[in-house]
């Protein structure tokens, strides 16, 4: 019994969903839907048995369709997801879930009401490297997390409807939500942003998160960088991780290097108590596996098993809450925004 | 006619001053002074004609000494510099000039009163790469500066008397002061910092500067990073510079890559006006030259010519003003601190 | 009028041919043929209109098939290519053309007799970087070629029917044949090889070519290297190229660095005449384009225009002549093998 | 009781010997001798108590001088070393020991006759990384050595009296002699070389060594390369080492990656027996220590303890035997030269 799927949106990301859906045995791709049916036809190519269509209605009315995977602009997500859930379909949707946290809350509630899977395509959470990072933290190999620094910059497409934070930071936020023990649990956030080219929205931004554990996490996103950097450092009391995603030969490195403090002493005696670890570096062997394949597998499994997927609607809401708070910070001179209970959906 | 010099402080940096002073023909090294005379003797070695001493007084009273180069902890700078100026000596001093802006102001005033050179050892300003960056900006090759991002992290010595911002950020700030047209001219600053190991002072910090030109500049400093990164990116409207100081084979790269906006149009038409430059990268040939040699040469030249050095006391004050404001921001939840006229010394 | 194509072989490389053939408008993919029809079916997937078959005969008898693209083990090439040409089909074939030079000569003659295109899939010749290298040399920007050094090593599959030279060196040889002015024109060759794991055939080898121009070219291939290196250096009298194919951010770099000799003088005076250029490095912008797309386009164009393709059968023969001579050298203690006229097919 | 030392030669390398001798407590630097006394004076600087001289005779007659360290052109080594040994001095000499093997043999014999230390400055053998490599091999962690590949290329000074092999390959050969179990023990050698700029001597060369163990070792040296590469790969049956000396952040990496053959089976069944290890990489922490300091310490210790140094005259002879054989190969079209017993001095 395979799950009938339609992919919605034949733009930048849609073709990847199509390709990976076709390679997932548990799924049966029925439609590729795009307002521009010609674009859908082009993506499918000349040799396909998958049908293109411009009619979302037709897709939702097709009883062979059990689920949809939505890769359209963010501003269309609310209506498309709601219609799909109302039609009884399971939904996989690109990040961000919706342009506002309030809309996202409604969709999560609707999915629960309808008993349908609502899953976010937080692709990175399905990569071997992120899985390994989560393991390194959860097994205690890293010790206590001490700091997080993530840089995600390159010469990127200036998006027409979202700023750089909404475009890129969901990756970092969903990854942290996935790997940190207990998930991402910030008490406050601040963001500084700029639009030096006059694009009408921030093209570069810095995001600081104060986590409940006391950890400071920082994210740098930038569409204007001539070089591509995808580096996340997670400092721990026993080891520190450097994940460099543009270096396939050494994507992950675990450093036994750091600063230790024997114990808290009187101020003048502290220097004597500080010691430096400068041990080996280990580069773990990781399988090379396309992350989207894992996304598709998890989506199918969640549907089949009637359970919440790893990256469920609530993980999408946590990302939205942070993005909204970051936006408020930007509009208030970079002020620290206390998250209070908005984060506890 | 050579200039008689004494180096004060035989700790981490002093030996470099000694070695470069000895290699500068215009200087004549007379003394190496340290509270621990044995340490001074060890630094000088067994084959030297330079005299060690533990007496700063003796140095200042020596008429053969025209100038002192001070490489002692920051908290001692004010007294040592004042005494030297009072004794009629020219002064080269390590950054930061003093632990407070107010003290720095006094020293600058005193130096002017005494007609003596007061120079900051902003070493990086004397490297071939920083000279070239200044040229690339001043000649218009970069176009308008659009953003600045600087990362200076490594497994660093946790300093006993200064935090990571005071230890590392003076490099970035003095460099920006040197290369930006008209110098570093911020209107506000914010800083976020953390001390995850309980060292008693920030061990990692993020500093955001809003410049009068509208440019956002960001500095990341960290003592706990297992990897050493020294990268400064200066984005321009025509070219973007990436300076990677730990890569001697490609220290500086000039990218003809970026995003252009034809003109400010109505919002929905903007996307059509955005274009992407993806041109060549040029790695300029740069001489390999020890920066401290340039520092010594400039110090000697400023003394001889009776003029202000490139990195004079006022450049030190601008750095101090920013560090103080950053400290206030840290103590106020990362609040943006307007600099007002504190910066116009 | 599209060209009907069958892909033969659904192993390692076949799927790439299938995918690129499907994306080439001038081609019309009819069949994927493999002795194991199930494997062909798996490669095509569940959504295809392309037919799998285990019968090569059926393919050759199909009048809708104008051409075949062969990606089977080398030992099968002679029979498969001959049968295709005899059936009046155009042929694109993986390297090496055949296991012996003599067989290759027969196929080239047969193709000419039948008036059919016989093209080698020398994939790298269709990459933007190799095109640019050819331009840099042909326009004189490099000056005279002075030396060539090519390294192609990684942890590779130990092939069941060919050694490491036959597996990897065809890439280097076909590239040199493509970029050097007048093609690859060696007068002698020597090779040293080893099989340290007891695989039954060389797993690492060093190949030296003495070119008619006096240039020494060297190729290092290795299946046992834990790191992947794909670097070709072409030294010229004016510039030197470094092509690092595993570094997408800087695949090609053109160095204005080298040693110049003013003129040939008496031996003791030579030192004075030597000078060193240490100029800039330029990293040209290159499009990212899948090379196999270019292969397919050239195959289609050669068929349509009734002309020899860029990498025709004769280019395949030059590679074979060198591989055979290298084999003779290995079996003769690494002796230099003069190529005489064997190379002039 | 310190050992009185004179450094002979104030050219490229002499200053490094001077600096490290001065920092070695067991040594007492008495003289720096150069035909050009002014050059010696410049190297010593204005603040020294060490005496410059142009008279080698004066140095040898000075009873305070127990040992000399010779850093002059290779063609002068024989006379200088012989005179020093005749005068009863211990000798540290730059590589190559002498321009011919025969001369080297005489010096080794003379040193033994006189009971003096004759040590080669094979600097790399005293680096932490080479020590670690020797340990990794001797402890069996690498397993059996399977292949060696060493690349030492950069834009180098075209030497006036030696070719690129004599200039650079002694490093690789002395390192292999130091790290391989039982030392470097080749049965044959071949070399290919070229002089594409008309310098009058080879500027690039490839050297192949067939070791008695069956291992193939290969060395690539080149003065004309625009990039600096210093990489040595030592493949083992259990691990493989990659030593990248221009990457201080990761100088040494130990790869658990390779190809294993279960056992020697019939040819057609071999493929099934091949397996691939793709395990972790470990980057061992290594101290940063100047190698020449270790050279000086070993020289002093060998003198004091009346024993042969780690890199004694015989290690120098093994290097000379190989360089001479390589030269014969170059002059014989790259023919393999059997070393017979010339190598067993």
């Amino acid at each position: 019994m395979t799950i009938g799927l339609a992919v919605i949106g034949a733009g930048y990301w849609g073709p990847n969903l199509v390709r990976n859906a076709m390679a997932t045995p548990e799924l049966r791709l029925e439609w590729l839907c795009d307002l521009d049916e010609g674009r859908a036809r082009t993506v499918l190519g000349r040799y396909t048995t998958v049908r293109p269509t411009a009619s979302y209605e037709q897709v939702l009315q097709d009883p062979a369709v059990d689920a949809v995977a939505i890769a359209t602009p963010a501003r269309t997500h609310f209506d498309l997801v709601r219609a799909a859930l109302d039609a009884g379909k399971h939904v996989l949707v690109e990040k961000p879930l919706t342009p506002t946290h309030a809309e996202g809350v409604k969709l999560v509630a609707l999915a629960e009401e309808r008993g349908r899977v609502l899953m976010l395509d937080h692709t990175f959470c399905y990569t071997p490297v992120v899985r390994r990072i989560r393991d390194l933290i959860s097994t205690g190999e890293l010790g206590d997390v001490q700091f997080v620094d993530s840089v995600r910059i390159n010469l990127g497409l200036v998006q027409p409807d979202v700023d750089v934070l909404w475009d890129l930071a969901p990756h970092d936020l969903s990854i942290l939500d996935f790997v940190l023990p207990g998930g991402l649990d910030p008490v406050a956030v601040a963001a500084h942003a700029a639009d030096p080219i006059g694009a009408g929205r921030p093209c570069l931004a810095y995001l600081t998160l104060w986590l409940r554990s006391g950890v400071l996490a920082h994210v740098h996103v930038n569409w204007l960088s001539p070089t591509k950097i995808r580096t996340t450092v997670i400092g721990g009391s026993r080891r520190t991780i450097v994940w460099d995603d543009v270096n396939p030969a050494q994507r992950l490195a675990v450093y036994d290097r750091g600063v230790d403090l024997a114990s808290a002493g009187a101020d003048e005696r502290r220097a004597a108590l500080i010691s430096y670890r400068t041990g080996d570096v280990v580069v773990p062997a990781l399988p090379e596996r396309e992350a989207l394949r894992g996304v598709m597998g998890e989506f199918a499994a969640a549907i089949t098993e009637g359970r919440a997927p790893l990256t469920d609607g609530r993980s999408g809401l946590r990302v939205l809450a942070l993005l909204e708070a970051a936006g408020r910070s930007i509009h208030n001179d970079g002020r620290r925004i206390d998250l209070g209970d908005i984060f506890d959906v």
Side-chain angles (χ1 to χ4, degrees), chain A:
Chain A
M1 258 296 293
T2 54
I3 297 162
L5 180 76
V7 170
I8 317 302
Y12 170 70
W13 194 246
N16 295 322
L17 293 177
V18 166
R19 185 166 42 79
N20 281 281
M22 295 200 312
T24 301
E26 296 81 8
L27 299 177
R28 190 184 69 248
L29 185 59
E30 297 281 347
W31 300 94
L32 172 57
C33 176
D34 196 284
L35 287 179
D36 178 350
E37 189 177 323
R39 186 158 65 170
R41 189 172 288 115
T42 300
V43 164
L44 290 170
R46 292 172 287 155
Y47 303 93
T48 190
T49 58
V50 179
R51 290 161 294 170
T53 178
S55 164
Y56 189 49
E57 207 175 330
Q58 184 181 28
V59 167
L60 295 188
Q61 287 173 357
D62 183 350
V65 172
D66 303 301
V68 297
I70 297 174
T72 58
R75 65 177 178 277
T76 68
H77 285 183
F78 182 74
D79 289 342
L80 293 176
V81 173
R82 188 176 54 180
L85 292 171
D86 279 340
K89 313 297 188 192
H90 304 282
V91 177
L92 172 69
V93 62
E94 287 312 301
K95 50 84 197 164
L97 173 53
T98 46
T100 69
H101 183 258
E103 289 169 308
V105 169
K106 285 181 197 159
L107 293 182
V108 168
L110 182 61
E112 284 174 9
E113 200 182 305
R114 300 283 193 228
R116 299 289 117 178
V117 169
L118 174 56
M119 173 169 167
L120 267 289
D121 178 11
H122 289 159
T123 319
F124 279 105
C125 300
Y126 298 89
T127 55
V129 62
V130 172
R131 294 278 184 144
R132 178 63 66 96
I133 291 172
R134 191 166 73 154
D135 289 349
L136 287 165
I137 296 175
S138 69
T139 60
E141 195 162 332
L142 234 69
D144 295 327
V145 172
Q146 294 184 331
F147 65 92
V148 176
D149 183 83
S150 199
V151 179
R152 188 173 302 275
I153 68 178
N154 64 293
L155 196 59
L157 290 180
V158 173
Q159 300 292 326
D161 63 341
V162 294
D163 68 19
V164 70
L165 263 177
W166 284 76
D167 183 35
L168 297 182
H171 294 304
D172 305 283
L173 298 174
S174 60
I175 290 163
L176 292 180
D177 191 43
F178 189 73
V179 303
L180 292 180
L184 190 54
D185 189 12
V187 295
V189 61
H192 305 150
D195 171 21
I197 63 166
R201 65 191 62 82
C203 293
L204 62 94
Y206 300 93
L207 179 62
T208 301
L209 308 176
W210 288 266
L211 306 189
R212 196 168 306 277
S213 59
V215 166
L216 196 74
H218 189 268
V219 178
H220 173 201
V221 288
N222 190 323
W223 279 334
L224 308 178
S225 167
T227 53
K228 181 174 182 173
I229 302 182
R230 295 269 181 281
T231 302
T232 300
V233 180
I234 302 180
S237 56
R238 298 189 61 237
R239 294 286 185 280
T240 290
I241 277 175
V242 178
W243 165 26
D244 178 356
D245 206 54
V246 299
N247 182 3
Q250 188 166 326
R251 212 179 282 282
L252 183 63
V254 183
Y255 287 78
D256 178 15
R257 290 169 58 86
V259 182
D260 297 322
L261 199 70
S263 74
D267 209 75
E268 60 257 55
R269 295 180 51 207
R270 258 183 196 146
L273 300 169
I274 286 174
S275 63
Y276 300 86
R277 271 179 297 118
T278 57
D280 294 353
V281 184
V282 175
V283 179
L286 293 172
E288 284 290 326
R289 199 168 58 210
E290 189 167 1
L292 257 181
R293 203 65 53 88
V295 171
M296 290 294 170
E298 172 69 5
F299 187 41
I303 292 170
T304 303
E305 303 167 17
R307 62 162 170 84
L310 271 174
T311 51
D312 63 2
R314 286 175 192 283
S315 72
L317 288 183
R318 287 193 289 277
V319 170
L320 289 184
L322 284 170
L323 293 174
E324 280 199 352
R328 277 204 301 282
S329 176
I330 290 171
H331 284 96
N332 283 277
D333 279 349
R335 192 153 54 81
R336 171 179 160 138
I337 305 293
D338 288 319
L339 289 165
D341 51 6
I342 199 177
F343 201 69
D344 307 324
V345 190

